[in-house]
């Protein structure tokens, strides 16, 4: 497993991926943070789109509003990164080389997955840091009181939000990895993953009132925003853990048993 | 299936018994019993779709057999982890990450297999990519990709090297280098299994041969054994053309049907029979002006034992060995 972990880290350490995936993630987070602060209104009523009020942003959790808003897009980017990492092994034919060097397939899969988790954690944390630094820099110019952000409650809220965002991002990535293994293609995995999480789940949740309890995209989004009044964070987390276990067992069995004929 | 008496004494690197792979009702590989000797270069030939790559993939743990058993380097093919650390392989076209350099691609494989990453530089130089290792894989020519594939196969310092079409895309100089490299590796005790369509190439570099067709084993054994058994002809030219018919009759009478062609008698027979023909002709007071053995080529032998039309098969020109 160590070999698979190290080899995947070597593969991930390339300019295209760092600038593409990492840059996209940092860019989205920065954009949402800037738009959130620049469009903050003085009035008491909440605006539309990216609008929040200055009063809302001055709350202890105001620092992470920008990150939270970027969570779904961040998740989609993460889904794409994981799907590409697993799917290209099939499309390039590299999988046969890799499995000759590490024939213990579950160990190979686990090592590769763990390396991607580390990579994902690093870039999500970087995105959070960028967002926080931008928010702290821009907020005073818009008259936002940041004293609550650095209070003990504010710091705790920020840590919690970052943790929720991180878990959700890894969840999206796991979906991408599973789809890539099932469909043996990064493009198919990305297309199906995005189509499911965005339009398909939106339609399903509109038609099915209990969809928020079970649909994976809804659950991940709910977890990223720290839970909701209708679906608690604990229930969301538990359902996601069950899904993760099913995905882990299912994809491991599929990957172990399927012939590598490409 | 025919099997020539094996002159190889170093034990077996690969054995299979009834190795089979079915997709639905179709048997792609049909109950193959392989025996590959250690320390030699074995050629693995067959028409397209014969089941060569599927067989290699089963030996490498990439495909599960539908039936049968096998051992590679003394370990069951149901446990590839027990032997693959000592096996190097290039299967089908060389496959690497296109946007990563050749060097990094090898380093990734070395890290995965826990092989010494310092070997990467040596291997790149060995396959002639010493100055291009830093270039991304997709910028390589087909020949360079092939060389990188061979370098990757050599990463684990293997005891068994499995190469599928290793000279594909190489220029004549490259083919000669690969041939020399394989010979050098075999001389050092490495076992090499080479799958190729280039029968002339196989004939040049291999000691041992496996022929499969339609998923079934047609021949395994010494390469010379197949060529001699399937294609050797004794060719005799009498001093006087009037003796041609009598000479042909002598051959036929000895169990080797003689035919007259271009002023000579041709009789399909092993090379060892040539002196006997000389003696028989002398007894009948026929003086031979020339006596030779035509061996034909691996291509001739291949077509003799397979049903293929051989559209994709390339081979060198026939060779003739003069013995008298």
């Amino acid at each position: 497993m160590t070999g698979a972990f190290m080899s995947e880290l070597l593969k991930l350490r390339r300019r295209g991926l760092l600038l593409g995936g990492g840059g996209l993630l940092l860019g989205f987070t920065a954009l949402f943070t800037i738009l959130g602060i620049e469009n903050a209104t003085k009035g008491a009523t909440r605006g539309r789109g990216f609008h929040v009020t200055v009063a809302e942003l001055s709350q202890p959790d105001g620092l992470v509003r920008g990150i939270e808003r970027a969570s779904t897009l961040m998740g989609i980017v993460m889904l794409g990164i994981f799907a590409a990492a697993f799917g290209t092994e099939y499309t390039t034919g590299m999988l046969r080389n890799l499995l000759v060097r590490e024939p213990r397939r579950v160990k190979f899969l686990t090592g590769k997955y763990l390396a991607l988790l580390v990579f994902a954690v690093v870039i999500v944390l970087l995105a959070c840091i960028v967002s926080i630094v931008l928010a702290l820099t821009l907020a005073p110019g818009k008259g936002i009181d940041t004293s609550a952000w650095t209070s003990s409650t504010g710091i705790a809220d920020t840590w919690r939000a970052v943790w929720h965002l991180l878990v959700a991002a890894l969840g999206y990535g796991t979906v991408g990895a599973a789809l890539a293994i099932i469909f043996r293609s990064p493009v198919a995995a990305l297309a199906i993953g995005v189509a499911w999480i965005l339009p398909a789940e939106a339609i399903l949740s509109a038609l099915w009132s209990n969809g928020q309890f079970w649909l994976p995209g809804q659950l991940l989004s709910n977890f990223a925003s720290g839970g909701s009044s209708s679906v608690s964070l604990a229930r969301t987390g538990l359902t996601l853990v069950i899904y993760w276990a099913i995905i882990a067992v299912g994809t491991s069995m599929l990957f172990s048993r399927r012939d590598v004929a490409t | 299936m025919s099997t020539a008496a094996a002159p190889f004494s170093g034990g077996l690197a690969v054995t299979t018994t009834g190795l089979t792979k079915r997709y639905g009702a179709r048997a792609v590989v049909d109950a193959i019993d392989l025996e590959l000797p250690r320390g030699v270069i074995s050629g693995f030939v067959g028409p397209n779709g014969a089941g060569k790559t599927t067989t290699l993939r089963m030996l490498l743990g990439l495909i599960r057999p539908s039936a049968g058993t096998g051992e590679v380097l003394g370990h069951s093919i149901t446990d590839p982890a027990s032997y693959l650390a000592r096996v190097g392989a290039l299967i089908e076209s060389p496959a690497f990450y296109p946007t990563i350099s050749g060097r990094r691609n090898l380093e990734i494989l070395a890290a995965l297999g826990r092989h010494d990453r310092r070997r990467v530089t040596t291997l790149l130089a060995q396959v002639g990519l010493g100055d291009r290792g830093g270039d991304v894989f997709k910028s390589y020519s087909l020949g360079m990709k092939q060389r990188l594939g061979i370098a990757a196969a050599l990463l684990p310092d293997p005891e068994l090297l499995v190469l599928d079409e290793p000279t594909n895309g190489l220029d004549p100089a490259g083919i000669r280098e690969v041939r020399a490299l394989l010979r050098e590796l075999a001389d050092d005790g490495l076992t090499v299994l080479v799958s190729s369509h280039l029968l002339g190439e196989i004939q040049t570099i291999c000691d041992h041969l496996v022929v499969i067709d339609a998923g079934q084993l047609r021949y395994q054994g010494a390469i010379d054994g197949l060529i001699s058994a399937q294609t050797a002809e004794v060719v005799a030219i009498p001093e006087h053309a009037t003796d041609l018919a009598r000479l042909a009759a002598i051959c036929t009478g000895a169990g080797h049907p003689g035919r007259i062609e271009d002023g000579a008698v041709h009789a399909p027979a092993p090379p060892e029979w040539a002196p006997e023909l000389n003696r028989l002709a002398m007894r009948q007071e026929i003086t031979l002006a020339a006596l030779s053995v035509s061996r034909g080529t691996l291509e001739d032998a291949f077509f003799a034992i397979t049903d293929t039309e051989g559209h994709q098969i390339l081979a060198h020109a026939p060779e003739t060995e003069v013995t008298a």
Side-chain angles (χ1 to χ4, degrees):
Chain A
M1 195 166 74
T2 315
F5 179 80
M6 296 307 294
S7 116
E8 187 63 23
L9 280 187
L10 261 180
K11 181 186 141 196
L12 291 169
R13 224 182 60 198
R14 61 184 200 266
R15 197 185 305 161
L17 182 65
L18 293 175
L19 292 179
L24 207 58
L25 206 66
L26 295 182
F28 276 139
T29 317
L31 184 69
F32 276 73
T33 304
I34 293 167
L35 288 175
I37 291 175
E38 290 300 320
N39 291 331
T41 52
K42 296 272 186 191
T45 54
R46 190 186 288 266
R48 296 176 65 188
F50 291 118
H51 290 170
V52 285
T53 64
V54 168
E56 283 173 323
L57 285 179
S58 300
Q59 298 298 308
D61 66 346
L63 180 59
V64 288
R65 287 293 180 97
I67 311 173
E68 284 177 354
R69 282 171 177 272
S71 67
T72 302
L73 278 174
M74 194 183 270
I76 298 295
V77 173
M78 206 54 76
L79 186 148
I81 290 174
F82 276 60
F86 282 89
T88 47
E89 313 300 21
Y90 290 98
T91 51
T92 59
M94 186 67 172
L95 188 61
R96 58 179 184 258
N97 287 344
L98 297 169
L99 291 182
V100 167
R101 296 281 53 92
E102 176 50 281
R104 292 163 298 190
R105 296 191 186 185
V106 173
K107 287 191 173 183
F108 169 78
L109 203 60
T110 309
K112 188 175 172 66
Y113 180 68
L114 288 177
L116 275 158
L117 289 189
V118 169
F119 178 77
V121 166
V122 169
I123 58 172
V124 168
L125 288 180
L126 269 177
C128 291
I129 290 168
V130 166
S131 173
I132 289 168
V133 169
L134 272 173
L136 286 168
T137 309
L138 296 174
K142 288 292 290 183
I144 298 166
D145 179 9
T146 61
S147 58
W149 294 0
T150 50
S151 68
S152 59
T153 310
I155 291 170
D157 281 352
T158 301
W159 275 118
R160 206 174 297 120
V162 169
W163 165 247
H164 294 157
L165 192 72
L166 196 57
V167 171
L170 299 182
Y172 283 107
T174 304
V175 171
L179 289 172
I181 290 169
I182 292 166
F183 294 104
R184 291 180 272 197
S185 157
V187 177
L190 186 59
I192 292 166
V194 171
W196 174 260
I197 285 168
L198 295 178
E201 283 209 4
I203 295 165
L204 278 173
S205 57
L207 298 172
W208 179 30
S209 58
N210 284 334
Q212 59 186 327
F213 293 100
W214 302 107
L215 294 172
Q218 300 285 311
L219 290 167
L220 287 168
S221 175
N222 191 44
F223 196 91
S225 55
S228 65
S229 54
S230 50
V231 190
S232 71
L233 187 69
R235 176 177 174 140
T236 304
L238 181 65
T239 313
L240 286 174
V241 167
I242 292 169
Y243 280 172
W244 180 87
I246 293 169
I247 288 173
V249 173
T251 50
S252 296
M253 283 175 64
L254 181 68
F255 189 72
S256 299
R257 289 163 186 260
R258 195 155 59 182
D259 287 344
V260 179
T262 55
Chain B
M1 192 272 290
S2 56
T3 304
F8 310 105
S9 55
L12 297 169
V14 175
T15 58
T16 68
T17 306
L19 191 66
T20 301
K21 182 64 186 180
R22 285 190 203 90
Y23 290 107
R26 191 169 64 95
V28 178
V29 175
D30 192 2
I32 282 184
D33 297 338
L34 277 181
E35 288 188 348
L36 299 186
R38 280 183 190 261
V40 302
I41 305 178
S42 290
F44 194 31
V45 299
N48 281 342
K52 299 188 297 294
T53 302
T54 304
T55 304
L56 297 182
R57 284 177 186 268
M58 284 193 280
L59 297 179
L60 296 170
L62 296 172
I63 289 181
R64 282 168 186 261
S66 306
T69 58
E71 284 194 358
V72 175
L73 302 176
H75 296 272
S76 168
I77 58 171
T78 56
D79 182 21
S82 63
Y83 59 83
L84 281 181
R86 296 180 287 147
V87 176
L90 165 63
I91 298 297
E92 292 185 296
S93 56
F96 293 96
Y97 299 118
T99 56
I100 295 179
S101 71
R103 173 180 292 278
R104 178 63 68 84
N105 266 295
L106 292 189
E107 286 173 347
I108 287 168
L109 290 172
L112 181 61
R114 290 168 293 280
H115 306 305
D116 186 355
R117 276 167 65 180
R118 286 170 300 184
R119 272 178 63 75
V120 168
T121 302
T122 312
L123 288 171
L124 284 171
Q126 191 173 0
V127 298
L129 289 175
D131 56 342
R132 296 292 304 274
D135 295 353
V136 292
F137 177 70
K138 67 180 178 184
S139 71
Y140 285 5
S141 67
L142 180 58
M144 291 166 68
K145 289 176 177 173
Q146 204 70 23
R147 288 163 189 265
L148 190 69
I150 293 171
L154 291 171
L155 256 180
D157 196 10
E159 289 175 40
L160 169 65
L161 188 59
V162 179
L163 301 174
D164 199 357
E165 302 284 352
T167 55
N168 190 24
L170 294 179
D171 55 23
I175 291 173
R176 178 180 282 192
E177 285 169 24
V178 168
R179 192 189 298 160
L181 174 66
L182 295 184
R183 178 47 59 199
E184 192 181 309
L185 293 168
D187 289 345
D188 288 344
L190 192 79
T191 305
V192 185
L193 176 59
V194 186
S195 160
S196 179
H197 278 137
L198 298 169
L199 295 178
E201 196 57 36
I202 290 283
Q203 188 173 355
T204 307
I205 63 175
C206 295
D207 316 293
H208 179 268
L209 184 73
V210 176
V211 181
I212 67 168
D213 182 26
Q216 295 186 329
L217 192 63
R218 300 292 189 204
Y219 174 85
Q220 66 178 330
I223 198 161
D224 287 342
L226 175 66
I227 294 170
S228 296
Q230 297 294 330
T231 67
E233 268 190 348
V234 174
V235 182
I237 302 174
E239 186 180 23
H240 305 294
T242 50
D243 291 332
L244 277 168
R246 281 204 303 142
L247 189 58
I250 290 171
C251 293
T252 305
H256 304 290
R259 69 178 195 283
I260 299 167
E261 202 175 291
D262 298 331
V265 172
H266 296 252
E272 309 82 68
W273 188 69
E276 178 62 19
L277 176 60
N278 195 16
R279 277 191 289 274
L280 291 171
M282 280 178 69
R283 278 184 212 143
Q284 298 290 322
E285 296 181 341
I286 298 172
T287 305
L288 297 181
L291 179 60
S292 64
V293 175
S294 168
R295 279 186 177 275
T297 64
L298 179 57
E299 186 184 46
D300 300 327
F302 179 82
F303 289 138
I305 61 168
T306 65
D307 300 326
T308 183
E309 290 294 318
H311 297 303
Q312 295 85 15
I313 304 297
L314 301 170
H316 293 316
E319 295 168 2
T320 300
E321 180 183 313
V322 176
T323 58

